[in-house]
Amino acid sequence: MIKNGVSVSHLIKAPFDPADVVTTDRLNAYMDEGRPMLNNYTRHAKIGEGQHGEVYLCYQVNPRYPQGHPARRVPVAMKSVKRDNPRAKQFRQLRQQRLPTSPHTPLVDRLSTIEAKIRKEIAIMKKCRHPHVVRLYEIIDDRSRDKIYMVMEYLAGGEVKWKNENDEPILSVGQTRRIIRDAVLGLEYLHHQGIIHRDIKPANLLWTEDRRQVKIADFGVSHFSYAQRLAAAGEDGAVENPEDPILLDDSDLTRRAGTPSFLAPEIVFEHTKEPSLSLRDVPAAASSSLAHGASSQSVPSMQRPPVTKSIDIWALGVTLYCLLFGRTPFVADPAAAGTEWSLYNSICNQDWNIPEAMGSDRLPTEGRHPIGETSEGTQVVRLLELLLKKDVKARITLDQIKRHKWILGDLAEPDKWLQLTMPRGKINVSLDETSDAMSSVHFRWNWGVVSRRISSLFRRSRDHHHHHHHQHDTGDRGPVRSDPHVRIRRHQSARVGSTPYSASTSASASASASASAAYTAKRDINKGKRRADVRALKMGGLGASKSLRSKSIERWPVSGRGDPASRSTSAIMEAAPDKKRRGSVTLLVGGDRNNRGRDRTGRFATVSGPSSSAITTTTSTTTTTTTTTTGGAGAGDHKPKTRFANLFNFNSITHWRPNKFASSSSSASASAGASPIDGPSSSSASSDRDRDRTPGPVRRASRRSEEALRSHRHRGPGPAQCPNAPLTVDRRASSWGQGDQPMEFAEAVSLAASSSYEYHDHEREREREREGGPRGSGGIYVYADRDRDRDRDRDRDRDRDRERERERERAFAPRTPSRLSTNVATASPTSGSGSQGDEDEDEDEDGEERRRFGPPCFDEDSSTIASAVGDWQNGSGSEEDEDGFGDEDEDEDEDDGDGAAESAEGGVAEDDSDDDDGDEDQEENVVTFSPRRHPRAID
Ligand SMILES: Nc1ncnc2c1ncn2[C@@H]1O[C@H](COP(=O)(O)OP(=O)(O)OP(=O)(O)O)[C@@H](O)[C@H]1O
């Protein structure tokens, strides 16, 4: 009956989770032996601090392994971000001042922008699984806590540092090349997935501990474009025209996000005061195509060039320049009144120049406009020229970069490298993947509301059901997901509604209208604040160019065409992420609330008991159940409402999950539990001492995290963690500089199979090398022994073909909801080993496939929606400030495990309650760590 109530089981089709990210909706924070524990993670030193959060080195404790086993303690990076922010508080204050509110207030108004931001970051990271992209393993999202935690692969080598105190380059040209090559591969993968990173810079490239490779990190401002994904998924070479409006909906992209010195001209286009170089250095025909329509051509400089994934390529060019020369190519005029504006003007209108030598090895560059093509310096300058093309259409593509002479310069077998790294095959884009990255949120139901909604729920469900079937029968899966053209149209119509969040549904058209009105009203009010910000900005200036070089700016733009300065202040209302509110929502219910899984480490699992059912409610078109649902939650005295809830045994409702979890949760859990082991453990080797062996200049360029780690010594087992380990091929081959000759860099396999790269297994690779196998380069394993090479290639091709075939079959195979695992088993040490015991037949195969990333899934911000619903269901605003990590100002650098201090600091009370939700004001709870609450968690 429950299933019939929504009757959309045919939409559950995501065959497996490409990234195996576990979402845990319970957080247990406590002290254990003087050290803070969060679920099964022990917290150690703080390794970084970003704009909104902190990153800690943590160890995942896997009690199933005996003491001393390498897998018992697996290092991970845990980023914690506070949900709330000052601006969210301003909102609350505004609401308290009788700001017009509506039960259909747009979702974003109800979420802090930071929360929206991190949810977007999470949704994007969930898609990523590639050797050159930092992996996300787990989200701990307990709505009763004031922070969200992201458990990530730990990159012990830290940020790529590129200059010393004297602004001289510290990396050799060879190292730079390998870094860039890694970044290119990571970027290529991201773009293929429809993700534009938007903040490529050296600081967002993190070294593995052995410094054999770098990985792209920090997706805080990344953009996901479904249209681009479709484009990438098309036939080879198809739809490469960045101007095509189908390709990118740049409403989000044109927002100035990223780091000023790395911003592409098309992003800071408004800052040009004269016809930009882009229009001068481009042939007439091309330049005219920058503008649309005759009137546009008459004032070409006023037209914003298309903003595409090419902004990442520009940023890569700036990165290359930085690594080679120890400074950025474009700088603000110190004499200029507005530093930021001056920088942007330089980016848009000025050429760059270069010193005479590049790299720490000081290779000659032969000047800005060299003659000939033979020398390395010349090649590099030529590449820079192509990367830093102000005209986006003339800018080099990633594929071309990979084929560039200099990039291939040190590879013994460039063709093989190209072949192995080619993202081949068509991505299988499931049109119903919208919900797939939805965060798991547990509900606390309000019974009164729930019962009131029952009848309307069924009514709506019936309608919806009918509608849906109609769509399905006609084979029309709906405009949003099946056809990018239509999607754009939908989006445009949403804009007409004066709110970017009015991508609403037929079912909630009126809701949307009022949401629109509320949104507009709030925005107007907020403008006052923004103007004040602008004034302050004008008075205070924009800071030194140093900060412009390094700091990511607040990433949300200001719309309109005000003066340049005004754009540097972000409007909260416009700060929201993309607002596609469509897709399906899966609600998991368990037969017994108490049956919620809890694994042996004491961590609560996300999924409820084995009797759980997965029910997906969805719309097949622009109709958005989530929008309707979220829109229905009142900002005033309205209590949260969701029609999904009413379908079930309310006692058992615990949380939402994406339908993909419903179909594969148990094995996903198993492999996800193990995934941190695969990743970080292989590169987890401690190596403060190893690091000390690195050449002088590099050592000086320690990052904050390394400083923080100085007092922290890994003592874990494992060959790579042995400080006395001999200088291995790996280490010799590291981009860090030793043995810095061609063919002297060992690396990972990152196979580009159809719709997937194979996740690199460092250990396997090391074994091969120990066996005397040949070495790879730039993150790609390339065999030197041609015979063996051929044999292995043949085997691999065969395997890959088989795998590809299987994936193709599975990608579109209809799938019924599987039973759910009781146990998310995040601490499971086995990789996809099917240790759950109650898996589907398919799941063994899934386990195998899960080691690769599968067809990408599309979700945009569905997680935000889900979370918001959960928030309302929680009665919202009564978030406790419990936090196992304590607060920002706690001093963790010395890794002193001072839990008592943390407890005290973590308890700084703030009035965070949301009056609009009709809740009582509550002081946030003081965290109390009870040392023995879970004594068995460690041992
Ligand atoms: N997975 C990781 N492994 C190791 N260090 C990390 C990891 N992720 C982040 N860091 C470090 O933590 C610091 C903060 O990272 P974070 O991603 O939070 O920065 P951010 O908030 O995006 O900051 P920014 O303002 O530069 O964008 C960085 O300096 C980075 O070096």
PDB file of all heavy atoms in Angstrom, residues 13 20 35 98 165 301 304 321 328 364 374 397 492 525 535 547 572 598 652 776 784 835 840 851 853 898 900 921 935:
ATOM      1  N   LYS A  13      16.283   3.842 -10.331  1.00  0.00           N
ATOM      2  CA  LYS A  13      17.069   3.151 -11.328  1.00  0.00           C
ATOM      3  C   LYS A  13      18.567   3.337 -11.203  1.00  0.00           C
ATOM      4  O   LYS A  13      19.334   2.711 -11.893  1.00  0.00           O
ATOM      5  CB  LYS A  13      16.618   3.571 -12.715  1.00  0.00           C
ATOM      6  CG  LYS A  13      16.800   5.055 -12.966  1.00  0.00           C
ATOM      7  CD  LYS A  13      16.196   5.438 -14.302  1.00  0.00           C
ATOM      8  CE  LYS A  13      16.931   4.738 -15.425  1.00  0.00           C
ATOM      9  NZ  LYS A  13      16.505   5.180 -16.738  1.00  0.00           N
ATOM     10  N   ASP A  20      29.956   6.410  -3.320  1.00  0.00           N
ATOM     11  CA  ASP A  20      29.920   5.699  -2.051  1.00  0.00           C
ATOM     12  C   ASP A  20      30.016   6.596  -0.843  1.00  0.00           C
ATOM     13  O   ASP A  20      30.689   6.290   0.122  1.00  0.00           O
ATOM     14  CB  ASP A  20      31.078   4.697  -1.964  1.00  0.00           C
ATOM     15  CG  ASP A  20      30.933   3.605  -2.975  1.00  0.00           C
ATOM     16  OD1 ASP A  20      29.784   3.309  -3.345  1.00  0.00           O
ATOM     17  OD2 ASP A  20      31.940   3.060  -3.387  1.00  0.00           O
ATOM     18  N   ARG A  35      40.712  12.301  24.433  1.00  0.00           N
ATOM     19  CA  ARG A  35      40.691  12.751  23.054  1.00  0.00           C
ATOM     20  C   ARG A  35      39.250  12.808  22.546  1.00  0.00           C
ATOM     21  O   ARG A  35      38.467  11.897  22.805  1.00  0.00           O
ATOM     22  CB  ARG A  35      41.491  11.781  22.187  1.00  0.00           C
ATOM     23  CG  ARG A  35      41.792  12.336  20.820  1.00  0.00           C
ATOM     24  CD  ARG A  35      42.809  11.502  20.098  1.00  0.00           C
ATOM     25  NE  ARG A  35      44.170  11.699  20.559  1.00  0.00           N
ATOM     26  CZ  ARG A  35      44.870  12.797  20.361  1.00  0.00           C
ATOM     27  NH1 ARG A  35      44.345  13.801  19.707  1.00  0.00           N
ATOM     28  NH2 ARG A  35      46.100  12.891  20.803  1.00  0.00           N
ATOM     29  N   ARG A  98       8.828  41.780  11.789  1.00  0.00           N
ATOM     30  CA  ARG A  98       7.585  41.709  11.019  1.00  0.00           C
ATOM     31  C   ARG A  98       7.812  41.816   9.516  1.00  0.00           C
ATOM     32  O   ARG A  98       7.025  42.402   8.795  1.00  0.00           O
ATOM     33  CB  ARG A  98       6.618  42.801  11.464  1.00  0.00           C
ATOM     34  CG  ARG A  98       6.323  42.767  12.943  1.00  0.00           C
ATOM     35  CD  ARG A  98       5.226  41.744  13.244  1.00  0.00           C
ATOM     36  NE  ARG A  98       4.919  41.719  14.662  1.00  0.00           N
ATOM     37  CZ  ARG A  98       5.548  40.912  15.534  1.00  0.00           C
ATOM     38  NH1 ARG A  98       6.505  40.106  15.120  1.00  0.00           N
ATOM     39  NH2 ARG A  98       5.220  40.905  16.802  1.00  0.00           N
ATOM     40  N   GLU A 165      59.707  33.142   0.622  1.00  0.00           N
ATOM     41  CA  GLU A 165      59.473  34.472   1.193  1.00  0.00           C
ATOM     42  C   GLU A 165      59.863  35.587   0.226  1.00  0.00           C
ATOM     43  O   GLU A 165      59.344  36.694   0.295  1.00  0.00           O
ATOM     44  CB  GLU A 165      60.271  34.684   2.487  1.00  0.00           C
ATOM     45  CG  GLU A 165      60.239  33.541   3.489  1.00  0.00           C
ATOM     46  CD  GLU A 165      61.197  32.428   3.128  1.00  0.00           C
ATOM     47  OE1 GLU A 165      62.408  32.643   3.169  1.00  0.00           O
ATOM     48  OE2 GLU A 165      60.707  31.325   2.800  1.00  0.00           O
ATOM     49  N   SER A 301      31.835  45.709 -26.099  1.00  0.00           N
ATOM     50  CA  SER A 301      32.548  45.593 -24.842  1.00  0.00           C
ATOM     51  C   SER A 301      31.590  45.460 -23.667  1.00  0.00           C
ATOM     52  O   SER A 301      31.983  45.120 -22.574  1.00  0.00           O
ATOM     53  CB  SER A 301      33.463  46.794 -24.638  1.00  0.00           C
ATOM     54  OG  SER A 301      32.672  47.943 -24.488  1.00  0.00           O
ATOM     55  N   ARG A 304      28.882  40.451 -21.930  1.00  0.00           N
ATOM     56  CA  ARG A 304      29.679  39.472 -21.198  1.00  0.00           C
ATOM     57  C   ARG A 304      29.929  38.265 -22.079  1.00  0.00           C
ATOM     58  O   ARG A 304      29.006  37.684 -22.638  1.00  0.00           O
ATOM     59  CB  ARG A 304      28.930  39.016 -19.957  1.00  0.00           C
ATOM     60  CG  ARG A 304      29.691  37.961 -19.182  1.00  0.00           C
ATOM     61  CD  ARG A 304      28.812  37.316 -18.145  1.00  0.00           C
ATOM     62  NE  ARG A 304      28.514  38.203 -17.037  1.00  0.00           N
ATOM     63  CZ  ARG A 304      29.357  38.433 -16.031  1.00  0.00           C
ATOM     64  NH1 ARG A 304      30.527  37.840 -16.003  1.00  0.00           N
ATOM     65  NH2 ARG A 304      29.029  39.233 -15.056  1.00  0.00           N
ATOM     66  N   TYR A 321      51.456  29.696 -14.228  1.00  0.00           N
ATOM     67  CA  TYR A 321      52.316  30.878 -14.151  1.00  0.00           C
ATOM     68  C   TYR A 321      52.892  31.023 -12.728  1.00  0.00           C
ATOM     69  O   TYR A 321      54.085  31.262 -12.554  1.00  0.00           O
ATOM     70  CB  TYR A 321      51.506  32.114 -14.551  1.00  0.00           C
ATOM     71  CG  TYR A 321      52.319  33.377 -14.673  1.00  0.00           C
ATOM     72  CD1 TYR A 321      52.712  33.853 -15.915  1.00  0.00           C
ATOM     73  CD2 TYR A 321      52.701  34.112 -13.547  1.00  0.00           C
ATOM     74  CE1 TYR A 321      53.458  35.017 -16.039  1.00  0.00           C
ATOM     75  CE2 TYR A 321      53.440  35.275 -13.654  1.00  0.00           C
ATOM     76  CZ  TYR A 321      53.820  35.716 -14.906  1.00  0.00           C
ATOM     77  OH  TYR A 321      54.563  36.863 -15.025  1.00  0.00           O
ATOM     78  N   THR A 328      51.946  36.032  -9.456  1.00  0.00           N
ATOM     79  CA  THR A 328      50.767  35.917 -10.311  1.00  0.00           C
ATOM     80  C   THR A 328      50.946  36.761 -11.574  1.00  0.00           C
ATOM     81  O   THR A 328      51.652  37.769 -11.558  1.00  0.00           O
ATOM     82  CB  THR A 328      49.501  36.388  -9.572  1.00  0.00           C
ATOM     83  OG1 THR A 328      49.737  37.701  -9.060  1.00  0.00           O
ATOM     84  CG2 THR A 328      49.178  35.448  -8.423  1.00  0.00           C
ATOM     85  N   PRO A 364      65.783  29.071 -18.777  1.00  0.00           N
ATOM     86  CA  PRO A 364      65.530  30.320 -19.503  1.00  0.00           C
ATOM     87  C   PRO A 364      64.186  30.282 -20.231  1.00  0.00           C
ATOM     88  O   PRO A 364      63.776  29.244 -20.734  1.00  0.00           O
ATOM     89  CB  PRO A 364      66.689  30.388 -20.503  1.00  0.00           C
ATOM     90  CG  PRO A 364      67.226  29.007 -20.598  1.00  0.00           C
ATOM     91  CD  PRO A 364      66.927  28.322 -19.309  1.00  0.00           C
ATOM     92  N   THR A 374      61.554  25.165 -29.979  1.00  0.00           N
ATOM     93  CA  THR A 374      62.314  24.024 -29.492  1.00  0.00           C
ATOM     94  C   THR A 374      62.571  24.033 -27.988  1.00  0.00           C
ATOM     95  O   THR A 374      62.429  23.015 -27.336  1.00  0.00           O
ATOM     96  CB  THR A 374      63.665  23.937 -30.224  1.00  0.00           C
ATOM     97  OG1 THR A 374      64.219  25.248 -30.243  1.00  0.00           O
ATOM     98  CG2 THR A 374      63.483  23.430 -31.636  1.00  0.00           C
ATOM     99  N   THR A 397      41.610  24.029 -24.938  1.00  0.00           N
ATOM    100  CA  THR A 397      40.746  23.098 -24.208  1.00  0.00           C
ATOM    101  C   THR A 397      41.622  22.109 -23.434  1.00  0.00           C
ATOM    102  O   THR A 397      42.826  21.986 -23.690  1.00  0.00           O
ATOM    103  CB  THR A 397      39.856  22.294 -25.167  1.00  0.00           C
ATOM    104  OG1 THR A 397      40.695  21.472 -25.989  1.00  0.00           O
ATOM    105  CG2 THR A 397      39.012  23.212 -26.034  1.00  0.00           C
ATOM    106  N   GLN A 492      14.484  29.933 -17.374  1.00  0.00           N
ATOM    107  CA  GLN A 492      14.205  31.320 -17.721  1.00  0.00           C
ATOM    108  C   GLN A 492      12.864  31.748 -17.167  1.00  0.00           C
ATOM    109  O   GLN A 492      12.694  32.827 -16.647  1.00  0.00           O
ATOM    110  CB  GLN A 492      14.238  31.490 -19.238  1.00  0.00           C
ATOM    111  CG  GLN A 492      15.663  31.489 -19.766  1.00  0.00           C
ATOM    112  CD  GLN A 492      15.716  31.318 -21.250  1.00  0.00           C
ATOM    113  OE1 GLN A 492      14.739  30.913 -21.862  1.00  0.00           O
ATOM    114  NE2 GLN A 492      16.850  31.623 -21.847  1.00  0.00           N
ATOM    115  N   ILE A 525      14.702  44.745   1.298  1.00  0.00           N
ATOM    116  CA  ILE A 525      15.144  45.151   2.629  1.00  0.00           C
ATOM    117  C   ILE A 525      16.633  44.904   2.784  1.00  0.00           C
ATOM    118  O   ILE A 525      17.373  45.716   3.299  1.00  0.00           O
ATOM    119  CB  ILE A 525      14.331  44.401   3.698  1.00  0.00           C
ATOM    120  CG1 ILE A 525      12.928  44.972   3.712  1.00  0.00           C
ATOM    121  CG2 ILE A 525      14.994  44.523   5.057  1.00  0.00           C
ATOM    122  CD1 ILE A 525      12.006  44.290   4.672  1.00  0.00           C
ATOM    123  N   ARG A 535      29.198  50.941   1.246  1.00  0.00           N
ATOM    124  CA  ARG A 535      29.811  52.143   1.821  1.00  0.00           C
ATOM    125  C   ARG A 535      31.045  51.769   2.627  1.00  0.00           C
ATOM    126  O   ARG A 535      32.107  52.366   2.489  1.00  0.00           O
ATOM    127  CB  ARG A 535      28.799  52.879   2.710  1.00  0.00           C
ATOM    128  CG  ARG A 535      27.916  53.842   1.929  1.00  0.00           C
ATOM    129  CD  ARG A 535      27.247  54.816   2.877  1.00  0.00           C
ATOM    130  NE  ARG A 535      26.444  54.166   3.896  1.00  0.00           N
ATOM    131  CZ  ARG A 535      25.194  53.773   3.709  1.00  0.00           C
ATOM    132  NH1 ARG A 535      24.611  53.955   2.552  1.00  0.00           N
ATOM    133  NH2 ARG A 535      24.532  53.181   4.689  1.00  0.00           N
ATOM    134  N   SER A 547      46.333  39.627  -0.295  1.00  0.00           N
ATOM    135  CA  SER A 547      45.139  38.859   0.020  1.00  0.00           C
ATOM    136  C   SER A 547      44.346  38.580  -1.241  1.00  0.00           C
ATOM    137  O   SER A 547      43.669  37.586  -1.356  1.00  0.00           O
ATOM    138  CB  SER A 547      44.284  39.595   1.038  1.00  0.00           C
ATOM    139  OG  SER A 547      43.745  40.748   0.443  1.00  0.00           O
ATOM    140  N   ILE A 572      23.015  38.577   0.319  1.00  0.00           N
ATOM    141  CA  ILE A 572      22.640  37.288   0.895  1.00  0.00           C
ATOM    142  C   ILE A 572      21.541  36.636   0.098  1.00  0.00           C
ATOM    143  O   ILE A 572      21.539  35.438  -0.130  1.00  0.00           O
ATOM    144  CB  ILE A 572      22.208  37.486   2.359  1.00  0.00           C
ATOM    145  CG1 ILE A 572      21.917  36.145   2.996  1.00  0.00           C
ATOM    146  CG2 ILE A 572      21.026  38.392   2.494  1.00  0.00           C
ATOM    147  CD1 ILE A 572      23.126  35.397   3.358  1.00  0.00           C
ATOM    148  N   ARG A 598      22.912   0.614  14.123  1.00  0.00           N
ATOM    149  CA  ARG A 598      24.031   1.199  14.844  1.00  0.00           C
ATOM    150  C   ARG A 598      25.129   0.167  14.761  1.00  0.00           C
ATOM    151  O   ARG A 598      24.953  -0.985  15.110  1.00  0.00           O
ATOM    152  CB  ARG A 598      23.596   1.434  16.276  1.00  0.00           C
ATOM    153  CG  ARG A 598      24.628   2.187  17.038  1.00  0.00           C
ATOM    154  CD  ARG A 598      24.086   2.512  18.388  1.00  0.00           C
ATOM    155  NE  ARG A 598      25.184   2.887  19.244  1.00  0.00           N
ATOM    156  CZ  ARG A 598      25.046   3.033  20.540  1.00  0.00           C
ATOM    157  NH1 ARG A 598      23.887   2.822  21.113  1.00  0.00           N
ATOM    158  NH2 ARG A 598      26.079   3.358  21.261  1.00  0.00           N
ATOM    159  N   SER A 652       7.622   5.283  12.481  1.00  0.00           N
ATOM    160  CA  SER A 652       8.840   4.676  11.981  1.00  0.00           C
ATOM    161  C   SER A 652       9.655   5.609  11.120  1.00  0.00           C
ATOM    162  O   SER A 652      10.751   5.284  10.717  1.00  0.00           O
ATOM    163  CB  SER A 652       8.477   3.448  11.165  1.00  0.00           C
ATOM    164  OG  SER A 652       7.752   3.858  10.038  1.00  0.00           O
ATOM    165  N   GLY A 776      55.160   4.819 -13.956  1.00  0.00           N
ATOM    166  CA  GLY A 776      54.273   5.669 -14.738  1.00  0.00           C
ATOM    167  C   GLY A 776      54.635   7.117 -14.587  1.00  0.00           C
ATOM    168  O   GLY A 776      55.739   7.453 -14.192  1.00  0.00           O
ATOM    169  N   ALA A 784      56.983   0.331 -19.076  1.00  0.00           N
ATOM    170  CA  ALA A 784      58.179   0.491 -19.895  1.00  0.00           C
ATOM    171  C   ALA A 784      58.452  -0.798 -20.667  1.00  0.00           C
ATOM    172  O   ALA A 784      58.943  -0.785 -21.782  1.00  0.00           O
ATOM    173  CB  ALA A 784      59.364   0.824 -19.021  1.00  0.00           C
ATOM    174  N   SER A 835      29.743  -7.619   3.435  1.00  0.00           N
ATOM    175  CA  SER A 835      29.707  -8.138   4.789  1.00  0.00           C
ATOM    176  C   SER A 835      28.360  -7.959   5.447  1.00  0.00           C
ATOM    177  O   SER A 835      28.145  -8.369   6.561  1.00  0.00           O
ATOM    178  CB  SER A 835      30.775  -7.448   5.635  1.00  0.00           C
ATOM    179  OG  SER A 835      30.496  -6.069   5.666  1.00  0.00           O
ATOM    180  N   ASP A 840      21.141  -7.504  -1.784  1.00  0.00           N
ATOM    181  CA  ASP A 840      20.485  -7.975  -2.990  1.00  0.00           C
ATOM    182  C   ASP A 840      21.397  -8.901  -3.752  1.00  0.00           C
ATOM    183  O   ASP A 840      22.590  -8.918  -3.553  1.00  0.00           O
ATOM    184  CB  ASP A 840      20.195  -6.773  -3.912  1.00  0.00           C
ATOM    185  CG  ASP A 840      18.914  -6.130  -3.528  1.00  0.00           C
ATOM    186  OD1 ASP A 840      18.338  -6.569  -2.524  1.00  0.00           O
ATOM    187  OD2 ASP A 840      18.494  -5.205  -4.218  1.00  0.00           O
ATOM    188  N   ARG A 851      33.791   0.043  -6.722  1.00  0.00           N
ATOM    189  CA  ARG A 851      35.185   0.470  -6.649  1.00  0.00           C
ATOM    190  C   ARG A 851      35.522   1.390  -7.807  1.00  0.00           C
ATOM    191  O   ARG A 851      36.574   1.949  -7.896  1.00  0.00           O
ATOM    192  CB  ARG A 851      36.102  -0.751  -6.645  1.00  0.00           C
ATOM    193  CG  ARG A 851      36.215  -1.352  -5.251  1.00  0.00           C
ATOM    194  CD  ARG A 851      37.272  -2.412  -5.235  1.00  0.00           C
ATOM    195  NE  ARG A 851      36.791  -3.665  -5.770  1.00  0.00           N
ATOM    196  CZ  ARG A 851      36.077  -4.535  -5.062  1.00  0.00           C
ATOM    197  NH1 ARG A 851      35.762  -4.276  -3.833  1.00  0.00           N
ATOM    198  NH2 ARG A 851      35.687  -5.657  -5.605  1.00  0.00           N
ATOM    199  N   PHE A 853      33.800   4.490 -10.298  1.00  0.00           N
ATOM    200  CA  PHE A 853      32.644   5.367 -10.225  1.00  0.00           C
ATOM    201  C   PHE A 853      31.760   5.050 -11.396  1.00  0.00           C
ATOM    202  O   PHE A 853      32.218   4.757 -12.475  1.00  0.00           O
ATOM    203  CB  PHE A 853      33.025   6.842 -10.188  1.00  0.00           C
ATOM    204  CG  PHE A 853      33.687   7.315 -11.430  1.00  0.00           C
ATOM    205  CD1 PHE A 853      32.938   7.734 -12.496  1.00  0.00           C
ATOM    206  CD2 PHE A 853      35.050   7.316 -11.516  1.00  0.00           C
ATOM    207  CE1 PHE A 853      33.549   8.162 -13.645  1.00  0.00           C
ATOM    208  CE2 PHE A 853      35.656   7.754 -12.656  1.00  0.00           C
ATOM    209  CZ  PHE A 853      34.913   8.169 -13.728  1.00  0.00           C
ATOM    210  N   ASP A 898      42.633  18.503  24.901  1.00  0.00           N
ATOM    211  CA  ASP A 898      42.045  19.101  26.079  1.00  0.00           C
ATOM    212  C   ASP A 898      40.538  19.153  25.944  1.00  0.00           C
ATOM    213  O   ASP A 898      39.935  20.142  25.608  1.00  0.00           O
ATOM    214  CB  ASP A 898      42.620  20.510  26.265  1.00  0.00           C
ATOM    215  CG  ASP A 898      42.127  21.144  27.533  1.00  0.00           C
ATOM    216  OD1 ASP A 898      41.307  20.502  28.223  1.00  0.00           O
ATOM    217  OD2 ASP A 898      42.548  22.259  27.837  1.00  0.00           O
ATOM    218  N   ALA A 900      38.211  19.035  28.112  1.00  0.00           N
ATOM    219  CA  ALA A 900      37.441  19.854  29.039  1.00  0.00           C
ATOM    220  C   ALA A 900      37.318  21.263  28.507  1.00  0.00           C
ATOM    221  O   ALA A 900      36.242  21.858  28.511  1.00  0.00           O
ATOM    222  CB  ALA A 900      38.119  19.857  30.396  1.00  0.00           C
ATOM    223  N   ASP A 921      12.404  30.199  22.187  1.00  0.00           N
ATOM    224  CA  ASP A 921      13.833  30.448  22.126  1.00  0.00           C
ATOM    225  C   ASP A 921      14.523  29.453  23.022  1.00  0.00           C
ATOM    226  O   ASP A 921      14.084  29.174  24.112  1.00  0.00           O
ATOM    227  CB  ASP A 921      14.159  31.869  22.620  1.00  0.00           C
ATOM    228  CG  ASP A 921      13.760  32.884  21.590  1.00  0.00           C
ATOM    229  OD1 ASP A 921      13.190  32.469  20.563  1.00  0.00           O
ATOM    230  OD2 ASP A 921      14.017  34.061  21.818  1.00  0.00           O
ATOM    231  N   PRO A 935      32.727   3.796  26.079  1.00  0.00           N
ATOM    232  CA  PRO A 935      34.099   3.412  26.378  1.00  0.00           C
ATOM    233  C   PRO A 935      34.648   2.388  25.390  1.00  0.00           C
ATOM    234  O   PRO A 935      35.834   2.336  25.158  1.00  0.00           O
ATOM    235  CB  PRO A 935      34.016   2.822  27.782  1.00  0.00           C
ATOM    236  CG  PRO A 935      32.576   2.471  27.985  1.00  0.00           C
ATOM    237  CD  PRO A 935      31.789   3.379  27.132  1.00  0.00           C
TER     238      PRO A 935
END
